[in-house]
Amino acid sequence: MQKQEYFEKLIEHRTDAFFVVDEQGIVLYASVTVGKLFGYDPRELVGKSALEFIHPADHHTAKLRQSVLLVYPGNRVTADYRVLNAHKEYVWMECIFNNMINIPQVNGIMVQLRDISERKSFELQLEESEERFRVFMQNAPGAAWIRDGQGKYVFVNSGFENMTGKLSSEVLGKSYKELFPAATEEISDTDKLALDYGKTVEYIYNMTTPDGVQRDWIVHKFPLPQSNGKVFVGAFAFDYTKLLKADENIRESETRFRQIFDLSPEAMFIEDAEGLILEANVRAAHLQGVSIDELVGKNMLELVPENKRAEILDIHHKFYAGEIDKYSAFIWMKDGKEIPVDLRASFIQHKGKKALLFSLRERENLN
């Protein structure tokens, strides 16, 4: 009775729950605030093992800390555990253990518990958010990094490791001046631009990667404000060497096509679905007796006698529908002269749209 009065006096006006357990973790005393926090009658808990009320996933940690606590009187241990309440729900509690075995009035371990559900919920959400960030960044299709105000790396992803050939363990905590002395001036200048303007700076960076290949990277660098008022620098970099090479190949291909088209001994036209002439070569203009400028932009029906337009339009539709790919027909010069030709057509992409490429070869006029 004296012990209980001592405990009640000790914790008078406190909102936390208090227990006294022996060296085996058996409850010797539970304060009246236990009822408010957990919904138990404090008297029901006396004689039970405290471990019964701790989440099974926390048992191993609890036993380890118990052994540390018992090393000597006066030892103190703090831990966060999920504790079972009377409603069969686990609630996060901060548990403060004080070894008071050497104090006669206590002769046990004093345990103080306070509800930290809201704090723990926030911490777990933060951990989940950080994990999502980590997974997202590690799987981003490029290199990514963050540096603090002193230029030291605080985050790099696997793409950065592939780009530089340096592992995160070699990079984190070090400055770009230590790691990339040859590029210090460029890095410093682009950092300053991003920070001074307060927006994303985009530039092209050429470097030799660990595989010995010269690669071009598009770098997006931006300011990253922190909650403490400081500003970090974040960056993404994407290897666009293959895109540059593809662009070069496309330009070369277009140049070759243009040369073949312009210098072809056959008359050549490019027309859309409605018969609009998109391109014409020198031979086509000569065959029609006009200049290239007089052909391009006209509808092919404008070059056909009125009484032949329905027939020619039907043939054009058949070409565009893929029903035919060659045809023997006539074209008409500006002066009205009729020239027999063999037409061949194939589909091409012209400025991203489907078009017909016509080649015309003169044939003998049997008339």
Side-chain angles (χ1 to χ4, degrees), residues 170-321:
E170 303 174 69
V171 173
L172 296 179
K174 293 183 179 178
S175 72
Y176 63 84
K177 294 178 181 179
E178 297 175 83
L179 296 167
F180 309 107
T184 292
E185 186 175 347
E186 183 174 1
I187 294 173
S188 176
D189 288 346
T190 52
D191 277 10
K192 190 173 186 302
L193 280 174
L195 294 172
D196 287 352
Y197 286 97
K199 60 183 182 181
T200 300
V201 174
E202 181 180 310
Y203 63 97
I204 297 172
Y205 181 63
N206 179 270
M207 68 176 292
T208 303
T209 49
D211 56 9
V213 177
Q214 282 281 332
R215 297 186 183 276
D216 292 289
W217 300 79
I218 296 179
V219 181
H220 300 265
K221 193 174 285 188
F222 49 91
L224 201 60
Q226 304 299 297
S227 59
N228 59 6
K230 295 182 179 180
V231 181
F232 288 4
V233 174
F236 288 99
F238 303 94
D239 182 357
Y240 83 128
T241 310
K242 290 182 180 179
L243 292 177
L244 279 178
K245 186 64 177 175
D247 285 344
E248 289 175 7
N249 291 338
I250 289 171
R251 286 195 294 270
E252 289 176 5
S253 177
E254 289 176 345
T255 300
R256 286 195 297 270
F257 171 80
R258 192 80 241 178
Q259 290 173 339
I260 293 170
F261 182 84
D262 290 338
L263 301 176
S264 172
E266 294 185 356
M268 302 189 83
F269 295 86
I270 298 175
E271 298 177 11
D272 68 8
E274 284 71 42
L276 184 69
I277 298 173
L278 305 173
E279 301 276 358
N281 69 354
V282 174
R283 179 58 183 160
H286 177 74
L287 197 60
Q288 299 275 179
V290 296
S291 69
I292 292 176
D293 289 340
E294 291 179 273
L295 286 177
V296 175
K298 279 189 176 181
N299 190 287
M300 55 91 181
L301 293 178
E302 297 179 55
L303 308 174
V304 176
E306 193 170 342
N307 64 333
K308 295 287 186 178
R309 289 178 181 175
E311 177 188 346
I312 297 300
L313 183 61
D314 180 61
I315 293 169
H316 182 83
H317 286 161
K318 287 180 178 178
F319 271 119
Y320 207 83

